[in-house]
Amino acid sequence: MRNSTSRTRSRLIAAGLTTGAVTAALLVAPTAAWAGVGTVSPLFVPALMATSASVTDSTAIFTTSSLVQIRQEGGTCNTTRAAAAGTVVDVAGTPGITNSTHTITFIVPATVTAGTNGAPKSIAVCIYAATTLASASLSTSSITVLPSPILSATAGPTGGGNLLNISTPAGSAFLTGLTGFGAFFSSSPCAATYGTPTGNMVAVDATRLGNTSASLIVPAGVVQTASTTGPTAYQLCLYNGSTSAATLIAAGPYGAGVITLAPASGPSGGGNGITVSSASPFLAGYDTPGILFTTEAACRATYDTSLIGSVTPIAVVASDIRKLTDNRLALNAPALTLVASLPTTYNLCIYRDSVEDTSQIVQGASYLVSAPATPTGVSPSAGPATGGTVITVSGSGFPDVTDTGTISAMLGGVPLTNIVKVNTSAFQATTPRHSADTNVPLVVTTAAGTKALQNAFSFLNTLSVRPNTAPNTTVAVNLEIGGSGFLGYTFGANAGANAQLAHVFLVGGVYNPAATAAGARANGPLADCGSVLVTSDESLVCTLRLDKRLDLRSTATGANPILAWDPSTYSNLSIVATTTAGSPIIGAASGGTFSNDDIGQLVKEDTGNVSIPAGLVITQVLSTTRAVMSGNAIASTGGAIDIGNAVSAGTYGAASQPGRSIANISWLTLSKTLVASTTPGGTQVPGTFSSTDVGRVLVAGTGITVGTTIVAVSPNGATATLSTATSNTASAATIALFPPAAVPVGAYSITVVSNGNVDAATADPNYQQSVVSSGATFTVAPS
């Protein structure tokens, strides 16, 4: 018969038919090519897929002892049964049962293949009276094996409308050389030629994309019928054109009425739950369904866990399957192997039960497995607690920009936002608002599972400040400060009170409350932004004074007060200084150095005002050996100088230095009013105070808080108003007034601390302070 096949092909080609036409001839009349009296249904079966078929022969009597033998290489059936070998396969018993005396059903094994390059191939179906050797032949027929297209989905919604991508199996390119391409869906086996299909069953936009791929839209006629509990079975029939004579080139199963998997993907290690649901009662009558996972192009027609080709389906154990309703079931996914360590698509196949080789398919859907994404780093690894930092998470196993898989992530227990896929090794996201915290974990979740990266990110207590500059002559500037966690702080009053409460400090560099040997802060504040008004957890307003700085040498006793600067107590003695006539620059040749503490302090020559005019103060320190005075030197010389007020204000006259003393001043307890009078409430002395006293520091007098300043003077100069109320009554007192020492010109940081005490960082277990950042920079400018 093999020679007969060659002769048939030769005759057809000689008659002017192409090779494709030869194939068409075989499809139209397979029984003409292979002698036999049996009729096979269906005429066509897909390659590499176990398929139920039957043979009817009115001249034969079939019994349960009859045997079906498949000859995959073609050829004629033997008149008596020979032993199966090579491509000759016995299929009796699969199922091998007789429906009537003239019809027998069997399973075409999944080992059958199409012809060269995926061309249709006819195989012989031989039926013998018994399983014993030399049993007589009862019937001879043939069946055509077609390449089975690989579909992007083996089932879809009822009513169609979904896109199907079609590719050819490995070793097959059945679309090669086609100038036309046609496709339709059929509820019965595919016809040998295109013919005239029903209009609403013809695929929409059927397009050949190349030798190995095509695409189409499922038409509206592909619906789930009321008579089926699972997807209604259809055949997708592919032809080498859309004319009535176009030849069938491939066919594959497709179901309408798709089930839904939640989730539709998961980790390769398994153990995760999957819920299967459908609008139809696909489990009606099936209380113990069986489930297989397979990497084959489609589910096997019956429950089969045997090795076929290189694939062994993975069974879900019965204890991991639960039927919930006729429409829903739940299962625990088994461990599923990745192909080449890459995300791998499995078919989840549901059967009536788990009886091997017998239980028929009920439903199927695609399920994607992959290894859990593994985060390995975050850049940058720190950002403000207010959020908004764009970070890049590096690692492996992330879905890339072409992958429909999703990514979610929690940073310190709060979700990241604006997640953008970069590639399988990285994604970008925006950090959320979070309380200040260090080394919080990152937890990344993809369809494959969840993995955590410890110590991934630090939420820093950074601030933003507006405005961010003011001159050091400013008595009060209101700052708007953005940050986080402000509602959790109790803010103290202005400098000098409640240091143990929260404060907003102006600091040169990083605030360090650690106690020095003298009890001062290692790096304390130069100003306290007082009168704090918290408007939200992320915002506050405070008032900053720059014309008077704080005393860095406050002791660690009592409530650790943050003292206002007392200019009468400061001195920097015996610097051997040099001056240049007509220049404000003063140099330190020996005997001592300049520091920022000198700013605002009087410069006095030990030998009298020879080179330096009376009343000049240090306005800026350039280095330890160079400073700037408030006026020019008279002459170029060198000599010893004193900076500050080493002696009382009365030693020098008011004309020689900026401090002055005033006698016969009185006040009442808890009063903010000074009166030029010998007794409280007595006759006032007009003209005692002047507008030049506004802003000066009051550094003498019983019951007057250190750092108290004059904030206003009456029009007649008989009274002055204090910044802080007195603590007792006094009369005929002598007071001393000095100009305040302003915050030096320069760049500083606004810092919020939860406790302003000396050594609070070690003494208070809940201590917090904001970090130095560009947003918290505040510049003190020259006036």
Side-chain angles (χ1 to χ4, degrees), residues 58-305:
S58 60
T59 64
I61 303 297
F62 302 124
T63 69
T64 55
S65 299
S66 299
L67 179 139
V68 179
Q69 195 174 75
I70 298 292
R71 302 186 70 93
Q72 296 189 58
E73 86 292 356
T76 59
C77 296
N78 294 339
T79 56
T80 58
R81 178 184 174 254
T87 57
V88 178
V89 180
D90 291 338
V91 292
T94 54
I97 57 175
T98 303
N99 294 329
S100 70
T101 56
H102 299 295
T103 301
I104 187 170
T105 61
F106 59 96
I107 298 294
V108 179
T111 55
V112 296
T113 60
T116 303
N117 203 31
K121 180 180 74 174
S122 291
I123 61 176
V125 179
C126 312
I127 305 175
Y128 298 95
T131 59
T132 57
L133 296 178
S135 294
S137 174
L138 297 179
S139 179
T140 299
S141 55
S142 66
I143 196 167
T144 301
V145 180
L146 297 172
S148 180
I150 299 174
L151 306 180
S152 57
T154 57
T158 184
N162 53 303
L163 173 70
L164 277 187
N165 291 312
I166 302 168
S167 56
T168 62
S172 172
F174 57 76
L175 297 169
T176 300
L178 297 186
T179 57
F181 176 59
F184 63 79
F185 291 81
S186 175
S187 57
S188 57
C190 296
T193 56
Y194 189 83
T196 307
T198 304
N200 66 352
M201 301 296 283
V202 177
V204 180
D205 292 334
T207 305
R208 174 184 174 275
L209 302 176
N211 292 339
T212 59
S213 62
S215 67
L216 56 84
I217 302 295
V218 179
V222 181
V223 297
Q224 184 177 27
T225 63
S227 61
T228 58
T229 57
T232 301
Y234 289 88
Q235 285 288 316
L236 172 59
C237 309
L238 305 179
Y239 296 85
N240 62 2
S242 56
T243 63
S244 60
T247 304
L248 182 68
I249 56 174
Y254 181 82
V258 67
I259 58 175
T260 300
L261 305 184
S265 56
S268 59
N272 56 298
I274 302 173
T275 301
V276 182
S277 58
S278 173
S280 63
F282 68 100
L283 293 172
Y286 312 132
D287 294 329
T288 57
I291 298 177
L292 298 176
F293 285 85
T294 179
T295 56
E296 293 166 303
C299 294
R300 298 182 180 183
T302 59
Y303 190 93
D304 183 359
T305 58

Side-chain angles (χ1 to χ4, degrees), residues 344-721:
T344 302
T345 297
Y346 277 77
N347 274 311
L348 185 156
C349 310
I350 303 174
Y351 298 86
R352 295 180 178 181
D353 51 42
S354 54
V355 179
E356 195 79 18
D357 296 325
T358 299
S359 299
Q360 294 181 331
I361 185 75
V362 173
Q363 281 279 21
S366 296
Y367 180 76
L368 179 69
V369 297
S370 55
T374 302
T376 57
V378 176
S379 179
S381 59
T386 51
T389 302
V390 177
I391 59 173
T392 299
V393 179
S394 55
S396 61
F398 304 134
D400 64 17
V401 292
T402 61
D403 194 331
T404 58
T406 60
I407 308 173
S408 62
M410 305 280 281
L411 191 59
V414 183
L416 290 175
T417 59
N418 303 324
I419 293 177
V420 177
K421 301 170 187 174
V422 177
N423 51 47
T424 58
S425 300
F427 68 87
Q428 290 183 327
T430 302
T431 60
R433 287 184 179 273
H434 192 285
S435 58
D437 201 355
T438 57
N439 298 323
V440 301
L442 170 70
V443 179
V444 176
T445 300
T446 63
T450 298
K451 279 204 172 182
L453 173 65
Q454 301 298 325
N455 304 323
F457 191 84
S458 293
F459 286 99
L460 305 178
N461 194 359
T462 57
L463 306 176
S464 61
V465 180
R466 187 176 61 179
N468 59 6
T469 185
N472 61 2
T473 54
T474 301
V475 174
V477 56
N478 291 323
L479 301 185
E480 294 181 69
I481 298 177
S484 64
F486 293 152
L487 290 176
Y489 292 162
T490 300
F491 286 90
N494 293 330
N498 300 314
Q500 76 278 8
L501 300 181
H503 285 264
V504 182
F505 287 147
L506 183 76
V507 184
V510 179
Y511 175 72
N512 185 355
T516 65
R521 295 165 179 78
N523 186 32
L526 281 84
D528 188 349
C529 196
S531 302
V532 177
L533 173 64
V534 177
T535 57
S536 72
D537 199 45
E538 292 86 29
S539 179
L540 63 82
V541 178
C542 62
T543 303
L544 181 66
R545 182 169 186 171
L546 299 174
D547 66 329
K548 182 181 67 172
R549 67 179 184 266
L550 301 180
D551 189 348
L552 305 183
R553 287 164 298 283
S554 58
T555 62
T557 59
N560 302 319
I562 303 166
L563 303 177
W565 187 277
D566 181 353
S568 71
T569 63
Y570 178 77
S571 63
N572 184 6
L573 305 178
S574 302
I575 294 177
V576 177
T578 60
T579 60
T580 300
S583 171
I585 302 298
I586 184 171
S590 62
T593 58
F594 297 113
S595 74
N596 280 339
D597 286 344
D598 295 333
I599 296 176
Q601 298 301 319
L602 180 70
V603 181
K604 303 183 295 291
E605 292 180 270
D606 287 352
T607 57
N609 299 314
V610 176
S611 300
I612 301 173
L616 294 189
V617 296
I618 300 295
T619 60
Q620 187 176 3
V621 173
L622 303 177
S623 70
T624 57
T625 58
R626 282 166 57 86
V628 180
M629 299 183 295
S630 58
N632 295 332
I634 299 171
S636 300
T637 186
I641 64 169
D642 296 331
I643 300 175
N645 297 286
V647 293
S648 67
T651 303
Y652 299 98
S656 64
Q657 55 87 42
R660 72 189 188 99
S661 59
I662 308 174
N664 297 321
I665 302 298
S666 65
W667 57 86
L668 297 174
T669 301
L670 300 180
S671 171
K672 287 188 177 183
T673 301
L674 298 181
V675 180
S677 172
T678 57
T679 58
T683 303
Q684 299 178 11
V685 182
T688 302
F689 299 102
S690 71
S691 60
T692 59
D693 292 331
V694 175
R696 288 176 178 260
V697 181
L698 188 66
V699 294
T702 304
I704 297 178
T705 302
V706 174
T708 300
T709 59
I710 302 292
V711 296
V713 172
S714 64
N716 65 357
T719 62
T721 302

